[in-house]
């Protein structure tokens, strides 16, 4: 249990999927203009990551990994080259489910998120989490915790950015830095702040 807790904390702070690996930056920059919208998208990302990581783990280790089909009499068969397209298909299916639920129960949030909600399906943070899971050889429980932690870290980053950008609206920002430039400076400072957690060992 302690190892799982350490993995969760690591994926939220130390190895934050967005601020440490810069995955999922497009929606991070575009949707972080409003705290409520950022929170809604953050919860959607947490759900998608928490579901797709273990599902992709099952598919990879049950069908795609080298020797996974030995129970069918094909011990030498290696279908791992299909993991990219398979993972994306699972992510797209989960994103579609989230999109339908939000459209049904929160039309306002659905309209606000716009195109960025279906773009979760091609969010590199979502796919990156599944690929990290395979590369690091996580167990099934570790994949669940890693997915939930990565989603929580992504949500923490985007909500923090939205809160900062809300305050910046009332600040005297130099004309040459207004808009995207200042947003990237804030993102860089946030990444440097999260780097302080890198020396922590749990």
């Amino acid at each position: 249990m302690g190892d799982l807790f350490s993995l969760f904390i690591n994926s939220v702070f130390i190895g934050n999927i967005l601020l440490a690996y810069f995955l999922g930056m497009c929606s991070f920059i575009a949707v972080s203009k409003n705290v409520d919208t950022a929170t809604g998208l953050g919860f959607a990302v947490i759900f998608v990551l928490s579901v797709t990581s273990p599902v992709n783990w099952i598919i990879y280790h049950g069908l795609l990994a080298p020797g996974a089909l030995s129970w069918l009499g094909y011990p030498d068969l290696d279908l791992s080259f299909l993991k990219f397209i398979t993972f994306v298909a699972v992510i797209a299916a989960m994103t579609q489910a989230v999109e339908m639920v939000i459209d049904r129960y929160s039309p306002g949030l659905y309209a606000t998120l716009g195109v960025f909600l279906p773009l979760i399906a091609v969010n590199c943070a979502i796919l990156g989490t599944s690929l990290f899971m395979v590369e690091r050889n996580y167990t099934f429980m570790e994949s669940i915790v890693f997915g939930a932690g990565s989603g929580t870290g992504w949500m923490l980053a985007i909500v923090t950015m939205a809160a900062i950008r809300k305050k910046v609206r009332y600040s005297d920002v130099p004309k040459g830095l207004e808009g995207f430039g200042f947003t990237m400076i804030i993102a860089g400072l946030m990444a440097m702040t999260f780097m302080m957690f890198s020396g922590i060992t749990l």
Side-chain angles (χ1 to χ4, degrees):
M1 184 63 71
D3 291 339
L4 294 178
F5 178 75
S6 297
L7 177 60
F8 181 84
I9 296 299
N10 185 290
S11 57
V12 173
F13 296 104
I14 304 168
N16 187 287
I17 197 73
L18 199 154
L19 297 176
Y21 298 101
F22 296 100
L23 298 178
M25 287 294 291
C26 53
S27 51
F28 170 71
I29 297 298
V31 183
S32 60
K33 299 175 182 177
N34 180 279
V35 175
D36 293 335
T37 306
T39 303
L41 184 62
F43 277 118
V45 168
I46 289 175
F47 175 80
V48 172
L49 275 173
S50 299
V51 173
T52 57
S53 292
V55 170
N56 283 334
W57 187 96
I58 292 172
I59 292 174
Y60 181 78
H61 289 279
L63 297 173
L64 305 180
L69 294 178
S70 57
W71 57 280
L72 286 177
Y74 301 101
D76 299 323
L77 190 60
D78 181 2
L79 299 177
S80 59
F81 65 93
L82 294 174
K83 64 177 179 288
F84 286 97
I85 190 170
T86 305
F87 289 174
V88 169
V90 171
I91 292 167
M94 293 300 107
T95 302
Q96 184 64 38
V98 171
E99 187 177 359
M100 290 189 295
V101 170
I102 293 178
D103 186 24
R104 172 67 176 83
Y105 294 103
S106 184
L109 177 61
Y110 180 81
T112 303
L113 291 175
V115 70
F116 292 100
L117 185 57
L119 280 179
I120 292 177
V122 291
N123 189 326
C124 50
I126 312 292
L127 178 60
T129 300
S130 292
L131 295 176
F132 282 152
M133 168 201 69
V134 171
E135 181 183 329
R136 297 172 183 176
N137 199 27
Y138 285 146
T139 64
F140 179 71
M141 283 303 300
E142 287 174 340
S143 70
I144 296 175
V145 173
F146 180 63
S150 296
T152 303
W154 197 90
M155 178 182 176
L156 175 65
I158 193 173
V159 171
T160 302
M161 171 62 87
I164 294 173
R165 291 179 74 175
K166 182 178 180 180
K167 294 292 184 181
V168 167
R169 291 184 199 137
Y170 307 102
S171 303
D172 186 17
V173 179
K175 192 168 184 63
L177 292 177
E178 290 177 350
F180 181 75
F182 199 66
T183 301
M184 292 306 296
I185 291 175
I186 296 172
L189 292 173
M190 287 176 59
M192 291 171 63
T193 303
F194 272 68
M195 283 178 64
M196 293 190 302
F197 294 107
S198 62
I200 300 175
T201 302
L202 298 176

